[in-house]
Amino acid sequence: MARRFASAADRRAAAQAALIAIDGPLGAHRRLDVRCRRSHHVAAVYEADGELVYSATVGPRGHGSRDRVDAGHAGSSCGRGHHDLLDTSGDLMADDSMPASCECGPRTLSRADLLASVEKGMRHVIVD
């Protein structure tokens, strides 16, 4: 059963802490890999501390080896990480849409669809 949190920010902080606490390579804990039709990495779902944790990079990225993202000095060209617990069945205020992006651009994934894919035992999902 899903834990309850006072806010979405607390839930996301718990998800990030669970990812940081993983011992060893993340790939060993990956339950689902999400890619676009061009095979760009979009998001992943990991199992950490008995919970399913969603992880995606959101924000601007370069589109090729010579492309530069319009970022200020000391800005990250890789976007920012977005982490959240996937199973929020106890939280009635949790949003179903999860932000993600790849080199093709920003997109939104469904929390329910991701959870259903993990429950079916799927390891890879391709999104449009």
Side-chain angles (χ1 to χ4, degrees):
M1 179 160 180
R3 293 186 287 171
R4 291 187 172 229
F5 295 94
S7 68
D10 292 341
R11 187 180 66 237
R12 290 184 190 117
Q16 186 171 6
L19 275 180
I20 291 171
I22 286 179
D23 188 27
L26 280 177
H29 298 274
R30 185 178 297 137
R31 294 284 305 273
L32 183 68
D33 185 40
V34 183
R35 297 192 174 269
C36 75
R37 293 250 179 237
R38 293 185 176 172
S39 232
H40 299 139
H41 175 76
V42 175
V45 176
Y46 299 96
E47 186 166 4
D49 292 336
E51 305 243 25
L52 294 174
V53 178
Y54 171 84
S55 178
T57 301
V58 181
R61 298 184 188 191
H63 298 284
S65 63
R66 295 183 180 205
D67 290 345
R68 301 230 180 349
V69 175
D70 187 20
H73 295 290
S76 171
S77 63
C78 297
R80 63 177 173 77
H82 179 87
H83 312 290
D84 202 348
L85 296 178
L86 195 58
D87 185 9
T88 58
S89 55
D91 186 359
L92 299 176
M93 299 302 289
D95 192 11
D96 183 59
S97 58
M98 306 285 282
S101 66
C102 71
E103 288 79 0
C104 299
R107 57 183 77 239
T108 304
L109 304 176
S110 166
R111 185 187 304 265
D113 290 347
L114 292 171
L115 192 55
S117 296
V118 171
E119 288 173 353
K120 288 179 188 174
M122 297 175 71
R123 300 285 293 171
H124 304 279
V125 173
I126 304 219
V127 295
D128 289 324

